[in-house]
PDB file of all heavy atoms in Angstrom:
ATOM      1  N   ALA A 309     -67.797 -46.679  84.769  1.00 89.00           N
ATOM      2  CA  ALA A 309     -68.594 -47.396  83.798  1.00 89.00           C
ATOM      3  C   ALA A 309     -68.940 -48.770  84.308  1.00 89.00           C
ATOM      4  O   ALA A 309     -68.145 -49.522  84.867  1.00 89.00           O
ATOM      5  CB  ALA A 309     -67.845 -47.523  82.481  1.00 89.00           C
ATOM      6  N   GLY A 310     -70.224 -49.149  84.151  1.00 89.00           N
ATOM      7  CA  GLY A 310     -70.711 -50.433  84.578  1.00 89.00           C
ATOM      8  C   GLY A 310     -71.472 -50.378  85.910  1.00 89.00           C
ATOM      9  O   GLY A 310     -72.029 -51.425  86.342  1.00 89.00           O
ATOM     10  N   GLN A 366     -80.652 -43.693  74.556  1.00 90.00           N
ATOM     11  CA  GLN A 366     -80.425 -44.645  75.667  1.00 90.00           C
ATOM     12  C   GLN A 366     -81.639 -44.852  76.562  1.00 90.00           C
ATOM     13  O   GLN A 366     -81.542 -45.303  77.662  1.00 90.00           O
ATOM     14  CB  GLN A 366     -79.222 -44.196  76.515  1.00 90.00           C
ATOM     15  CG  GLN A 366     -77.926 -44.068  75.777  1.00 90.00           C
ATOM     16  CD  GLN A 366     -77.437 -45.378  75.291  1.00 90.00           C
ATOM     17  OE1 GLN A 366     -77.624 -46.395  75.923  1.00 90.00           O
ATOM     18  NE2 GLN A 366     -76.802 -45.369  74.095  1.00 90.00           N
ATOM     19  N   LEU A 401     -77.755 -47.078  84.225  1.00 92.00           N
ATOM     20  CA  LEU A 401     -76.394 -47.641  84.082  1.00 92.00           C
ATOM     21  C   LEU A 401     -75.447 -46.590  83.664  1.00 92.00           C
ATOM     22  O   LEU A 401     -75.744 -45.803  82.714  1.00 92.00           O
ATOM     23  CB  LEU A 401     -76.448 -48.783  83.071  1.00 92.00           C
ATOM     24  CG  LEU A 401     -75.048 -49.359  82.637  1.00 92.00           C
ATOM     25  CD1 LEU A 401     -74.463 -50.136  83.815  1.00 92.00           C
ATOM     26  CD2 LEU A 401     -75.225 -50.283  81.411  1.00 92.00           C
ATOM     27  N   ILE A 402     -74.344 -46.454  84.384  1.00 92.00           N
ATOM     28  CA  ILE A 402     -73.286 -45.540  83.981  1.00 92.00           C
ATOM     29  C   ILE A 402     -72.549 -46.156  82.792  1.00 92.00           C
ATOM     30  O   ILE A 402     -71.801 -47.149  82.933  1.00 92.00           O
ATOM     31  CB  ILE A 402     -72.318 -45.228  85.105  1.00 92.00           C
ATOM     32  CG1 ILE A 402     -73.050 -44.623  86.299  1.00 92.00           C
ATOM     33  CG2 ILE A 402     -71.199 -44.271  84.636  1.00 92.00           C
ATOM     34  CD1 ILE A 402     -72.213 -44.261  87.504  1.00 92.00           C
ATOM     35  N   LEU A 403     -72.785 -45.585  81.625  1.00 92.00           N
ATOM     36  CA  LEU A 403     -72.252 -46.170  80.377  1.00 92.00           C
ATOM     37  C   LEU A 403     -70.772 -45.830  80.163  1.00 92.00           C
ATOM     38  O   LEU A 403     -69.999 -46.667  79.720  1.00 92.00           O
ATOM     39  CB  LEU A 403     -73.056 -45.701  79.169  1.00 92.00           C
ATOM     40  CG  LEU A 403     -73.060 -46.566  77.920  1.00 92.00           C
ATOM     41  CD1 LEU A 403     -73.569 -47.912  78.244  1.00 92.00           C
ATOM     42  CD2 LEU A 403     -73.883 -45.871  76.808  1.00 92.00           C
ATOM     43  N   SER A 404     -70.416 -44.639  80.444  1.00 91.00           N
ATOM     44  CA  SER A 404     -68.987 -44.202  80.283  1.00 91.00           C
ATOM     45  C   SER A 404     -68.762 -43.010  81.119  1.00 91.00           C
ATOM     46  O   SER A 404     -69.650 -42.244  81.434  1.00 91.00           O
ATOM     47  CB  SER A 404     -68.651 -43.944  78.806  1.00 91.00           C
ATOM     48  OG  SER A 404     -69.356 -42.843  78.332  1.00 91.00           O
ATOM     49  N   VAL A 405     -67.500 -42.811  81.527  1.00 90.00           N
ATOM     50  CA  VAL A 405     -67.030 -41.624  82.281  1.00 90.00           C
ATOM     51  C   VAL A 405     -65.886 -40.996  81.534  1.00 90.00           C
ATOM     52  O   VAL A 405     -64.760 -41.350  81.730  1.00 90.00           O
ATOM     53  CB  VAL A 405     -66.636 -41.996  83.741  1.00 90.00           C
ATOM     54  CG1 VAL A 405     -66.277 -40.763  84.519  1.00 90.00           C
ATOM     55  CG2 VAL A 405     -67.761 -42.817  84.421  1.00 90.00           C
ATOM     56  N   ILE A 412     -71.967 -40.482  81.178  1.00 93.00           N
ATOM     57  CA  ILE A 412     -73.044 -40.843  80.265  1.00 93.00           C
ATOM     58  C   ILE A 412     -73.876 -41.933  80.911  1.00 93.00           C
ATOM     59  O   ILE A 412     -73.370 -42.945  81.414  1.00 93.00           O
ATOM     60  CB  ILE A 412     -72.551 -41.316  78.920  1.00 93.00           C
ATOM     61  CG1 ILE A 412     -71.512 -40.281  78.324  1.00 93.00           C
ATOM     62  CG2 ILE A 412     -73.659 -41.558  77.927  1.00 93.00           C
ATOM     63  CD1 ILE A 412     -72.090 -38.945  78.070  1.00 93.00           C
ATOM     64  N   ILE A 413     -75.229 -41.748  80.940  1.00 93.00           N
ATOM     65  CA  ILE A 413     -76.150 -42.688  81.590  1.00 93.00           C
ATOM     66  C   ILE A 413     -76.979 -43.367  80.552  1.00 93.00           C
ATOM     67  O   ILE A 413     -77.261 -42.807  79.435  1.00 93.00           O
ATOM     68  CB  ILE A 413     -77.079 -41.894  82.571  1.00 93.00           C
ATOM     69  CG1 ILE A 413     -76.260 -41.141  83.583  1.00 93.00           C
ATOM     70  CG2 ILE A 413     -77.996 -42.859  83.303  1.00 93.00           C
ATOM     71  CD1 ILE A 413     -75.428 -41.963  84.464  1.00 93.00           C
ATOM     72  N   SER A 414     -77.338 -44.642  80.823  1.00 93.00           N
ATOM     73  CA  SER A 414     -78.218 -45.420  79.933  1.00 93.00           C
ATOM     74  C   SER A 414     -79.330 -46.036  80.742  1.00 93.00           C
ATOM     75  O   SER A 414     -79.077 -46.450  81.904  1.00 93.00           O
ATOM     76  CB  SER A 414     -77.425 -46.490  79.191  1.00 93.00           C
ATOM     77  OG  SER A 414     -78.316 -47.311  78.427  1.00 93.00           O
ATOM     78  N   LEU A 419     -78.890 -54.205  79.060  1.00 93.00           N
ATOM     79  CA  LEU A 419     -77.524 -54.004  79.491  1.00 93.00           C
ATOM     80  C   LEU A 419     -77.366 -54.095  81.001  1.00 93.00           C
ATOM     81  O   LEU A 419     -76.415 -54.638  81.509  1.00 93.00           O
ATOM     82  CB  LEU A 419     -77.030 -52.629  78.989  1.00 93.00           C
ATOM     83  CG  LEU A 419     -76.910 -52.433  77.485  1.00 93.00           C
ATOM     84  CD1 LEU A 419     -76.344 -51.062  77.155  1.00 93.00           C
ATOM     85  CD2 LEU A 419     -76.036 -53.532  76.839  1.00 93.00           C
ATOM     86  N   TYR A 453     -75.162 -52.087  71.954  1.00 94.00           N
ATOM     87  CA  TYR A 453     -76.221 -51.430  71.152  1.00 94.00           C
ATOM     88  C   TYR A 453     -75.619 -50.801  69.908  1.00 94.00           C
ATOM     89  O   TYR A 453     -74.427 -50.446  69.838  1.00 94.00           O
ATOM     90  CB  TYR A 453     -76.939 -50.372  71.999  1.00 94.00           C
ATOM     91  CG  TYR A 453     -76.083 -49.148  72.266  1.00 94.00           C
ATOM     92  CD1 TYR A 453     -76.099 -48.034  71.485  1.00 94.00           C
ATOM     93  CD2 TYR A 453     -75.299 -49.135  73.405  1.00 94.00           C
ATOM     94  CE1 TYR A 453     -75.331 -46.893  71.785  1.00 94.00           C
ATOM     95  CE2 TYR A 453     -74.498 -48.018  73.740  1.00 94.00           C
ATOM     96  CZ  TYR A 453     -74.507 -46.918  72.908  1.00 94.00           C
ATOM     97  OH  TYR A 453     -73.714 -45.842  73.192  1.00 94.00           O
ATOM     98  N   PHE A 467     -70.099 -50.479  73.498  1.00 94.00           N
ATOM     99  CA  PHE A 467     -70.134 -51.099  74.776  1.00 94.00           C
ATOM    100  C   PHE A 467     -69.763 -50.075  75.831  1.00 94.00           C
ATOM    101  O   PHE A 467     -69.948 -48.889  75.618  1.00 94.00           O
ATOM    102  CB  PHE A 467     -69.219 -52.335  74.827  1.00 94.00           C
ATOM    103  CG  PHE A 467     -69.472 -53.321  73.741  1.00 94.00           C
ATOM    104  CD1 PHE A 467     -68.644 -53.367  72.598  1.00 94.00           C
ATOM    105  CD2 PHE A 467     -70.539 -54.203  73.832  1.00 94.00           C
ATOM    106  CE1 PHE A 467     -68.892 -54.260  71.577  1.00 94.00           C
ATOM    107  CE2 PHE A 467     -70.799 -55.103  72.791  1.00 94.00           C
ATOM    108  CZ  PHE A 467     -69.968 -55.178  71.709  1.00 94.00           C
ATOM    109  N   LEU A 468     -69.228 -50.511  76.978  1.00 92.00           N
ATOM    110  CA  LEU A 468     -68.860 -49.605  78.044  1.00 92.00           C
ATOM    111  C   LEU A 468     -67.651 -48.816  77.674  1.00 92.00           C
ATOM    112  O   LEU A 468     -66.741 -49.294  77.027  1.00 92.00           O
ATOM    113  CB  LEU A 468     -68.604 -50.428  79.362  1.00 92.00           C
ATOM    114  CG  LEU A 468     -69.843 -51.160  79.901  1.00 92.00           C
ATOM    115  CD1 LEU A 468     -69.440 -51.905  81.176  1.00 92.00           C
ATOM    116  CD2 LEU A 468     -71.027 -50.281  80.121  1.00 92.00           C
ATOM    117  N   ASN A 469     -67.604 -47.559  78.196  1.00 88.00           N
ATOM    118  CA  ASN A 469     -66.415 -46.685  78.065  1.00 88.00           C
ATOM    119  C   ASN A 469     -65.998 -46.518  76.654  1.00 88.00           C
ATOM    120  O   ASN A 469     -64.775 -46.431  76.379  1.00 88.00           O
ATOM    121  CB  ASN A 469     -65.311 -47.166  78.925  1.00 88.00           C
ATOM    122  CG  ASN A 469     -65.159 -46.378  80.226  1.00 88.00           C
ATOM    123  OD1 ASN A 469     -65.801 -45.295  80.346  1.00 88.00           O
ATOM    124  ND2 ASN A 469     -64.361 -46.854  81.156  1.00 88.00           N
ATOM    125  N   GLY A 470     -66.917 -46.472  75.710  1.00 89.00           N
ATOM    126  CA  GLY A 470     -66.576 -46.202  74.324  1.00 89.00           C
ATOM    127  C   GLY A 470     -66.029 -47.344  73.536  1.00 89.00           C
ATOM    128  O   GLY A 470     -65.670 -47.163  72.356  1.00 89.00           O
TER     129      GLY A 470
END
Side-chain angles (χ1 to χ4, degrees):
Q366 299 297 324
L401 171 68
I402 300 180
L403 202 60
S404 65
V405 183
I412 308 298
I413 304 297
S414 175
L419 295 183
Y453 67 94
F467 305 101
L468 297 180
N469 256 349

